[in-house]
Amino acid sequence: MLVDDNDTRRDGSASRDTAWHARSAASAAQEMGVDGAQGLSEAEAAARLARHGPNRLSERPGKPAWRRFAAQLGQPLVLVLLAAGAITAALGETVDAGVIFGVVLVNALIGYWQEAKAEGALAALARSVTTPVTVRRDGHRRQLDAGQLVPGDIVMLAAGDRIPADLRLLLQHELHTDDSLLTGESQPVGKHARALPADTVLAERANMAWAGSTVVMGQGSGLVVATGDATETGRIAGLIAAAPELVTPLTRKMARFSNWLLWAIAALAGLTFAVGLARGETGFDMFMAAVALAVGAIPEGLPAAVTVTLAIGVARMARRRAIIRHLPAVETLGSTTVICSDKTGTLTENAMTVRVLWCAGEGYALGGQGYAPSGDIRHDEMPATVAGAVRECLVAGALCNDASLRQEHGRWLITGDPTEAALLVAARKGGEDEHALRARHPRRNELPFDAGRQYMATAHGDDAACVLYVKGALEKLLPQCVDRLAADGTGRQPLDAPAVERAAQAYAEQGMRLLLIARRTLATADQLSDASIAGLTLIGLAGMIDPPRKAVVGAIRNCHSAGIRVKMITGDHAVTALAIARQIGIDAGRALTGRELAALDDGQLAEAALGTDVFARVEPEQKLRLVRALQGRGEVVAMTGDGVNDGPALKQADIGVAMGLAGTEVAKEAAAMVLTDDNFASIEAAVEEGRGVWDNLVKFITWTLPTNFGEGLVIVVAILFGATLPITPLQILWINMTTAVLLGLPLAFEPIERGIMHRPPRRLDQPVLDAALIRRIVLVALLLLAGSFGLFLRELGQGHSLAEARTVAVNVFVMVEAAYLFNCRSLSQAFWKQGLFSNPWIWAGIGAMLALQMALTYLPFMNALFQTAPIGSEEWLSILAISVLSSLLIGLEKALAMRRP
Ligand code: ADP
Ligand code: MG
């Protein structure tokens, strides 16, 4: 009967009252109403899920909408405008004040909407990275998303897992977890499954595993006793923040720049005010002029444009299979100078096929393709009889193995490590089925494979005849071998270690991944440790191929032409690594091994890290040193990783890249970016997008600053020369608010420029505002000044009204900005090379802008609000001529600037 266990658990008190740690594993399972060997039934799990809700911490409700809206109004620029509006209203200019307030409101609404959209998109991406867990249900192992866990589920744990809920451990082997999230203690804690006294404090309940902790090593299984907010972490942390951070180094830099600009402009406005007064203008007029100056010169579109451009970049990267977890990575990607990549699975397919066995001094070739277990085994071109040492080699490979094979719709699929699956396929080709073998020789104990250990061992049989099978890296195991199995599979012969190494060398040169397979007898299966790996009898070698990924060759070529070094870092054999490197276009003379690295001091290591492109037999811990050494030489480093031990290196790297498919939760959490297809080519794509994002930001800045500067200049010149303002403050507000959104923002959607991967990486410390940009700002501002002032004065001279002359000036501004937009679409090429229609947003923006200008010029109520007036076709022709001419002149300047080295 099911114990009605946890109806009360959601209030959070019941699971504390139930002292799970004080019960035996069996009684805990009974209390939870579950059979430990079977797990819950799917039906029961569904019922419990309905009762307890998904295993997720509630999101802290984001800031309420009105507060986020208020934050938009709190920006310095907006405060200036609000103050100006209030004073204008106090002076009795209600229409002007109304329009200023209206514009502020519209601007805040747009800003609010854009930010909400960007946040929503980032949050959705963050949620798209799910956490898979393995549970036992209905007697089978099943993979599901951690959100689906319910109290009573039996969860399997392995190194690198994030513990998905609070667990009472049932079984464990060398299980150690990092509980620092809960206890603050950073040392891994050894766990057991025995019952503890009821008064044991939380931090010492070693038979429990807490949600949010990570498995540092070992394996185990546990009973879910609390999920979601009812977990200990849920109670402490309570809620997780709903909204992601939108702040990056660049947005911070921009904010500082804007503030600085604000003060400079305020000072200039004050000066203008004083000069005007001295010239005998009224305080009111001069106040309005100072407001116009402030409004015109401040690039109010900048913060929103930066956020939107970054958000668009994140979305584009996601489409190319790179999920950004930390927004600043988008900026850094474009500056990457070195990519350190794993070999297996990232540069290669991780689709292993055993091609050769080398037993008792003889080589055997295996036929067939992929994971289909058909193909013959040949010796000297003749079909070989699978017996003796060859059979033992296959048996050992299949027993010291956690993978499984299955056929679905005619295709052979695997679960587990491809290296191990390949051994199962090989065994079946030799007529040995792993199910039968595993039933005949049940596993008694094991040392699981991990990248630091580089081998795996399993013990089989009873104490009277206990055999230990070992497979792993040649360098680790060959020194432990004392003899070798004779061809008959029972006798033993002296070991000729140099001959084994020669054979291994020959296979590795063909790019094969090698496993040494060995065995020994054990007195008992109970105590297994690294010390058990001694006195081994060599059974043989297995050599497997793992073809390079197809897209990788091109991606590496792109990286090289983009000035980015690609370095392979692998746990595999040096010769194998070099052979694969050669196949994919990493041209390395020699490989440095982990042992050689360990012997270098930090200075030598930095030299070696720069000069070498292939690192073999590297232990995960050494990756951290490599990253640091490269960074010490000013490199911007992207580093891939998937295992538990890769965390520190991923955090240290400028861009930590985790594998979405094969990676552990620990690696994903340490990384700034997660690849959904584990493919190196996706890193290269992300770098390309990162460069594109930066380009588009620079384009926006190149477009917006000169126009702001031009507007300010028009006011200053008018006051200095005592001329009538060619544009009123309201009209400047209008220009800024409409053009920033309609003309400027479309630049965020510019496609990546051709040749973007033929430039060297951008230096991280490169200033946004360089000499070329300043030159450009001055040129465009002068053109705007000459065009608007010139036509304004001509209109007045021809006897047109002030309203008409100002309407012409406003239209000059907008049209020149629209024409200049085309100059800004590419930083390096003439605009027509970009493809005129490659960014439809530009045209949509210009169309909308034109419509608004028509409204401003011809609609009576707009005329009344903005003091504009209809103008004639001759005026339009002049405006058009000026904008086309400006664009051509700027194009000329750009061409000249490009010619200069
Ligand atoms: P990489 O992923 O960089 O190719 P690994 O760390 O996975 O390297 O493997 C390093 C070495 O460990 C391999 O060359 C192989 O000899 C050995 N090895 C790999 N997988 C297993 C496994 N499942 N069992 C035993 N040994 C393995
Ligand atoms: Mg590996």
Side-chain angles (χ1 to χ4, degrees), residues 215-249:
V215 182
V216 184
M217 65 182 263
Q219 299 159 306
S221 64
L223 169 75
V224 175
V225 297
T227 59
D229 291 336
T231 60
E232 290 298 331
T233 326
R235 294 193 224 189
I236 294 174
L239 309 162
I240 54 166
E245 264 307 345
L246 286 179
V247 180
T248 76

mmCIF file of all heavy atoms in Angstrom, residues 215-249:
data_model
loop_
_atom_site.group_PDB
_atom_site.id
_atom_site.type_symbol
_atom_site.label_atom_id
_atom_site.label_comp_id
_atom_site.label_asym_id
_atom_site.label_seq_id
_atom_site.Cartn_x
_atom_site.Cartn_y
_atom_site.Cartn_z
ATOM 1 N N VAL A 215 28.138 16.284 -7.801
ATOM 2 C CA VAL A 215 28.896 15.068 -7.549
ATOM 3 C C VAL A 215 30.310 15.279 -8.064
ATOM 4 O O VAL A 215 30.517 15.491 -9.249
ATOM 5 C CB VAL A 215 28.252 13.858 -8.254
ATOM 6 C CG1 VAL A 215 29.038 12.591 -7.944
ATOM 7 C CG2 VAL A 215 26.798 13.711 -7.840
ATOM 8 N N VAL A 216 31.271 15.250 -7.176
ATOM 9 C CA VAL A 216 32.648 15.492 -7.565
ATOM 10 C C VAL A 216 33.296 14.202 -8.051
ATOM 11 O O VAL A 216 34.067 14.187 -8.994
ATOM 12 C CB VAL A 216 33.452 16.064 -6.383
ATOM 13 C CG1 VAL A 216 34.860 16.398 -6.807
ATOM 14 C CG2 VAL A 216 32.753 17.291 -5.836
ATOM 15 N N MET A 217 32.983 13.090 -7.383
ATOM 16 C CA MET A 217 33.467 11.810 -7.884
ATOM 17 C C MET A 217 32.571 10.693 -7.389
ATOM 18 O O MET A 217 31.745 10.894 -6.490
ATOM 19 C CB MET A 217 34.918 11.570 -7.471
ATOM 20 C CG MET A 217 35.132 11.434 -5.983
ATOM 21 S SD MET A 217 36.879 11.217 -5.603
ATOM 22 C CE MET A 217 36.992 9.455 -5.464
ATOM 23 N N GLY A 218 32.746 9.531 -7.984
ATOM 24 C CA GLY A 218 32.008 8.359 -7.549
ATOM 25 C C GLY A 218 30.636 8.267 -8.190
ATOM 26 O O GLY A 218 30.280 9.024 -9.087
ATOM 27 N N GLN A 219 29.883 7.276 -7.717
ATOM 28 C CA GLN A 219 28.557 7.012 -8.267
ATOM 29 C C GLN A 219 27.619 6.694 -7.130
ATOM 30 O O GLN A 219 28.066 6.426 -6.018
ATOM 31 C CB GLN A 219 28.593 5.772 -9.171
ATOM 32 C CG GLN A 219 29.484 5.884 -10.346
ATOM 33 C CD GLN A 219 29.848 4.508 -10.853
ATOM 34 O OE1 GLN A 219 30.335 3.667 -10.100
ATOM 35 N NE2 GLN A 219 29.593 4.273 -12.116
ATOM 36 N N GLY A 220 26.346 6.645 -7.414
ATOM 37 C CA GLY A 220 25.410 6.248 -6.379
ATOM 38 C C GLY A 220 23.991 6.345 -6.860
ATOM 39 O O GLY A 220 23.717 6.696 -8.017
ATOM 40 N N SER A 221 23.072 5.996 -5.967
ATOM 41 C CA SER A 221 21.664 6.210 -6.266
ATOM 42 C C SER A 221 21.016 6.732 -5.001
ATOM 43 O O SER A 221 21.505 6.494 -3.892
ATOM 44 C CB SER A 221 21.007 4.924 -6.738
ATOM 45 O OG SER A 221 21.019 3.976 -5.699
ATOM 46 N N GLY A 222 19.937 7.466 -5.169
ATOM 47 C CA GLY A 222 19.290 8.063 -4.013
ATOM 48 C C GLY A 222 17.790 8.157 -4.208
ATOM 49 O O GLY A 222 17.287 8.139 -5.339
ATOM 50 N N LEU A 223 17.113 8.253 -3.066
ATOM 51 C CA LEU A 223 15.656 8.352 -3.051
ATOM 52 C C LEU A 223 15.291 9.828 -2.902
ATOM 53 O O LEU A 223 15.776 10.495 -1.984
ATOM 54 C CB LEU A 223 15.146 7.559 -1.844
ATOM 55 C CG LEU A 223 13.690 7.706 -1.456
ATOM 56 C CD1 LEU A 223 12.806 6.945 -2.423
ATOM 57 C CD2 LEU A 223 13.491 7.213 -0.029
ATOM 58 N N VAL A 224 14.453 10.321 -3.792
ATOM 59 C CA VAL A 224 14.041 11.726 -3.708
ATOM 60 C C VAL A 224 13.123 11.905 -2.503
ATOM 61 O O VAL A 224 12.098 11.233 -2.390
ATOM 62 C CB VAL A 224 13.311 12.164 -4.986
ATOM 63 C CG1 VAL A 224 12.792 13.593 -4.834
ATOM 64 C CG2 VAL A 224 14.233 12.065 -6.188
ATOM 65 N N VAL A 225 13.513 12.775 -1.558
ATOM 66 C CA VAL A 225 12.651 13.026 -0.403
ATOM 67 C C VAL A 225 12.033 14.417 -0.441
ATOM 68 O O VAL A 225 11.057 14.675 0.261
ATOM 69 C CB VAL A 225 13.409 12.824 0.934
ATOM 70 C CG1 VAL A 225 13.849 11.373 1.067
ATOM 71 C CG2 VAL A 225 14.585 13.762 1.050
ATOM 72 N N ALA A 226 12.574 15.294 -1.233
ATOM 73 C CA ALA A 226 11.959 16.622 -1.359
ATOM 74 C C ALA A 226 12.321 17.216 -2.708
ATOM 75 O O ALA A 226 13.426 16.997 -3.216
ATOM 76 C CB ALA A 226 12.432 17.545 -0.244
ATOM 77 N N THR A 227 11.388 17.924 -3.299
ATOM 78 C CA THR A 227 11.628 18.548 -4.601
ATOM 79 C C THR A 227 11.313 20.037 -4.523
ATOM 80 O O THR A 227 10.633 20.494 -3.606
ATOM 81 C CB THR A 227 10.742 17.925 -5.702
ATOM 82 O OG1 THR A 227 9.380 18.096 -5.321
ATOM 83 C CG2 THR A 227 11.036 16.447 -5.890
ATOM 84 N N GLY A 228 11.799 20.758 -5.517
ATOM 85 C CA GLY A 228 11.435 22.171 -5.696
ATOM 86 C C GLY A 228 11.698 23.013 -4.460
ATOM 87 O O GLY A 228 12.744 22.917 -3.828
ATOM 88 N N ASP A 229 10.726 23.832 -4.122
ATOM 89 C CA ASP A 229 10.898 24.762 -3.000
ATOM 90 C C ASP A 229 10.990 24.049 -1.662
ATOM 91 O O ASP A 229 11.374 24.651 -0.665
ATOM 92 C CB ASP A 229 9.732 25.751 -2.970
ATOM 93 C CG ASP A 229 9.781 26.700 -4.152
ATOM 94 O OD1 ASP A 229 10.887 26.883 -4.691
ATOM 95 O OD2 ASP A 229 8.731 27.242 -4.527
ATOM 96 N N ALA A 230 10.611 22.752 -1.616
ATOM 97 C CA ALA A 230 10.657 22.029 -0.347
ATOM 98 C C ALA A 230 12.059 21.535 -0.015
ATOM 99 O O ALA A 230 12.314 21.064 1.083
ATOM 100 C CB ALA A 230 9.686 20.846 -0.388
ATOM 101 N N THR A 231 12.999 21.636 -0.971
ATOM 102 C CA THR A 231 14.361 21.183 -0.693
ATOM 103 C C THR A 231 15.041 22.157 0.261
ATOM 104 O O THR A 231 14.585 23.298 0.425
ATOM 105 C CB THR A 231 15.192 21.115 -1.983
ATOM 106 O OG1 THR A 231 15.232 22.413 -2.566
ATOM 107 C CG2 THR A 231 14.587 20.139 -2.974
ATOM 108 N N GLU A 232 16.153 21.704 0.855
ATOM 109 C CA GLU A 232 16.885 22.581 1.771
ATOM 110 C C GLU A 232 17.347 23.846 1.045
ATOM 111 O O GLU A 232 17.256 24.953 1.568
ATOM 112 C CB GLU A 232 18.094 21.840 2.346
ATOM 113 C CG GLU A 232 17.720 20.734 3.321
ATOM 114 C CD GLU A 232 16.975 21.255 4.551
ATOM 115 O OE1 GLU A 232 17.206 22.411 4.941
ATOM 116 O OE2 GLU A 232 16.142 20.507 5.100
ATOM 117 N N THR A 233 17.870 23.667 -0.187
ATOM 118 C CA THR A 233 18.309 24.830 -0.954
ATOM 119 C C THR A 233 17.136 25.751 -1.226
ATOM 120 O O THR A 233 17.257 26.969 -1.173
ATOM 121 C CB THR A 233 18.875 24.396 -2.322
ATOM 122 O OG1 THR A 233 19.504 23.151 -2.147
ATOM 123 C CG2 THR A 233 19.820 25.408 -2.861
ATOM 124 N N GLY A 234 15.994 25.145 -1.542
ATOM 125 C CA GLY A 234 14.803 25.927 -1.836
ATOM 126 C C GLY A 234 14.437 26.806 -0.657
ATOM 127 O O GLY A 234 13.996 27.936 -0.820
ATOM 128 N N ARG A 235 14.633 26.264 0.548
ATOM 129 C CA ARG A 235 14.260 27.058 1.716
ATOM 130 C C ARG A 235 15.252 28.166 1.986
ATOM 131 O O ARG A 235 14.889 29.237 2.439
ATOM 132 C CB ARG A 235 14.248 26.175 2.940
ATOM 133 C CG ARG A 235 13.182 25.151 2.870
ATOM 134 C CD ARG A 235 13.097 24.590 4.219
ATOM 135 N NE ARG A 235 12.995 23.161 4.148
ATOM 136 C CZ ARG A 235 12.725 22.454 5.228
ATOM 137 N NH1 ARG A 235 12.604 23.060 6.375
ATOM 138 N NH2 ARG A 235 12.600 21.167 5.116
ATOM 139 N N ILE A 236 16.536 27.875 1.724
ATOM 140 C CA ILE A 236 17.541 28.897 2.018
ATOM 141 C C ILE A 236 17.545 29.960 0.929
ATOM 142 O O ILE A 236 17.344 31.139 1.186
ATOM 143 C CB ILE A 236 18.946 28.273 2.115
ATOM 144 C CG1 ILE A 236 18.992 27.357 3.320
ATOM 145 C CG2 ILE A 236 19.989 29.348 2.198
ATOM 146 C CD1 ILE A 236 20.283 26.602 3.417
ATOM 147 N N ALA A 237 17.754 29.489 -0.292
ATOM 148 C CA ALA A 237 17.827 30.440 -1.390
ATOM 149 C C ALA A 237 16.441 30.982 -1.659
ATOM 150 O O ALA A 237 16.276 32.083 -2.148
ATOM 151 C CB ALA A 237 18.374 29.757 -2.625
ATOM 152 N N GLY A 238 15.420 30.179 -1.318
ATOM 153 C CA GLY A 238 14.061 30.612 -1.563
ATOM 154 C C GLY A 238 13.793 30.644 -3.041
ATOM 155 O O GLY A 238 13.410 29.660 -3.634
ATOM 156 N N LEU A 239 14.095 31.734 -3.646
ATOM 157 C CA LEU A 239 13.646 31.937 -5.010
ATOM 158 C C LEU A 239 14.833 32.280 -5.891
ATOM 159 O O LEU A 239 15.804 32.847 -5.429
ATOM 160 C CB LEU A 239 12.661 33.098 -5.028
ATOM 161 C CG LEU A 239 11.539 32.974 -4.011
ATOM 162 C CD1 LEU A 239 10.879 34.307 -3.779
ATOM 163 C CD2 LEU A 239 10.532 31.951 -4.478
ATOM 164 N N ILE A 240 14.735 31.921 -7.149
ATOM 165 C CA ILE A 240 15.798 32.336 -8.056
ATOM 166 C C ILE A 240 15.334 33.562 -8.831
ATOM 167 O O ILE A 240 14.150 33.749 -9.066
ATOM 168 C CB ILE A 240 16.198 31.214 -9.036
ATOM 169 C CG1 ILE A 240 14.963 30.704 -9.776
ATOM 170 C CG2 ILE A 240 16.864 30.088 -8.316
ATOM 171 C CD1 ILE A 240 15.311 29.875 -10.972
ATOM 172 N N ALA A 241 16.291 34.377 -9.190
ATOM 173 C CA ALA A 241 15.948 35.609 -9.897
ATOM 174 C C ALA A 241 15.356 35.281 -11.258
ATOM 175 O O ALA A 241 15.822 34.383 -11.945
ATOM 176 C CB ALA A 241 17.195 36.463 -10.068
ATOM 177 N N ALA A 242 14.304 35.980 -11.618
ATOM 178 C CA ALA A 242 13.632 35.684 -12.877
ATOM 179 C C ALA A 242 14.355 36.307 -14.068
ATOM 180 O O ALA A 242 14.499 35.694 -15.106
ATOM 181 C CB ALA A 242 12.200 36.188 -12.834
ATOM 182 N N ALA A 243 14.826 37.524 -13.907
ATOM 183 C CA ALA A 243 15.370 38.246 -15.056
ATOM 184 C C ALA A 243 16.879 38.125 -15.106
ATOM 185 O O ALA A 243 17.552 38.215 -14.086
ATOM 186 C CB ALA A 243 14.975 39.713 -14.971
ATOM 187 N N PRO A 244 17.430 37.893 -16.295
ATOM 188 C CA PRO A 244 18.891 37.826 -16.426
ATOM 189 C C PRO A 244 19.488 39.229 -16.401
ATOM 190 O O PRO A 244 18.792 40.216 -16.605
ATOM 191 C CB PRO A 244 19.078 37.192 -17.792
ATOM 192 C CG PRO A 244 17.855 37.573 -18.561
ATOM 193 C CD PRO A 244 16.745 37.702 -17.565
ATOM 194 N N GLU A 245 20.770 39.293 -16.154
ATOM 195 C CA GLU A 245 21.494 40.562 -16.158
ATOM 196 C C GLU A 245 21.629 41.074 -17.584
ATOM 197 O O GLU A 245 22.007 40.328 -18.466
ATOM 198 C CB GLU A 245 22.910 40.340 -15.610
ATOM 199 C CG GLU A 245 23.124 40.632 -14.153
ATOM 200 C CD GLU A 245 22.685 42.009 -13.711
ATOM 201 O OE1 GLU A 245 22.465 42.884 -14.565
ATOM 202 O OE2 GLU A 245 22.581 42.205 -12.485
ATOM 203 N N LEU A 246 21.353 42.315 -17.792
ATOM 204 C CA LEU A 246 21.574 42.879 -19.124
ATOM 205 C C LEU A 246 22.825 43.751 -19.139
ATOM 206 O O LEU A 246 23.128 44.399 -20.121
ATOM 207 C CB LEU A 246 20.371 43.713 -19.555
ATOM 208 C CG LEU A 246 19.140 42.906 -19.947
ATOM 209 C CD1 LEU A 246 18.007 43.822 -20.328
ATOM 210 C CD2 LEU A 246 19.436 41.949 -21.081
ATOM 211 N N VAL A 247 23.554 43.750 -18.034
ATOM 212 C CA VAL A 247 24.718 44.625 -17.941
ATOM 213 C C VAL A 247 25.969 43.879 -18.394
ATOM 214 O O VAL A 247 26.175 42.723 -18.031
ATOM 215 C CB VAL A 247 24.910 45.101 -16.492
ATOM 216 C CG1 VAL A 247 26.118 46.012 -16.387
ATOM 217 C CG2 VAL A 247 23.666 45.829 -16.025
ATOM 218 N N THR A 248 26.784 44.490 -19.210
ATOM 219 C CA THR A 248 28.048 43.909 -19.656
ATOM 220 C C THR A 248 29.114 44.992 -19.531
ATOM 221 O O THR A 248 28.781 46.156 -19.328
ATOM 222 C CB THR A 248 27.971 43.450 -21.125
ATOM 223 O OG1 THR A 248 28.034 44.612 -21.953
ATOM 224 C CG2 THR A 248 26.696 42.685 -21.415
ATOM 225 N N PRO A 249 30.384 44.617 -19.671
ATOM 226 C CA PRO A 249 31.429 45.655 -19.616
ATOM 227 C C PRO A 249 31.141 46.780 -20.601
ATOM 228 O O PRO A 249 31.347 47.949 -20.298
ATOM 229 C CB PRO A 249 32.693 44.895 -20.009
ATOM 230 C CG PRO A 249 32.418 43.485 -19.629
ATOM 231 C CD PRO A 249 30.941 43.281 -19.791
#
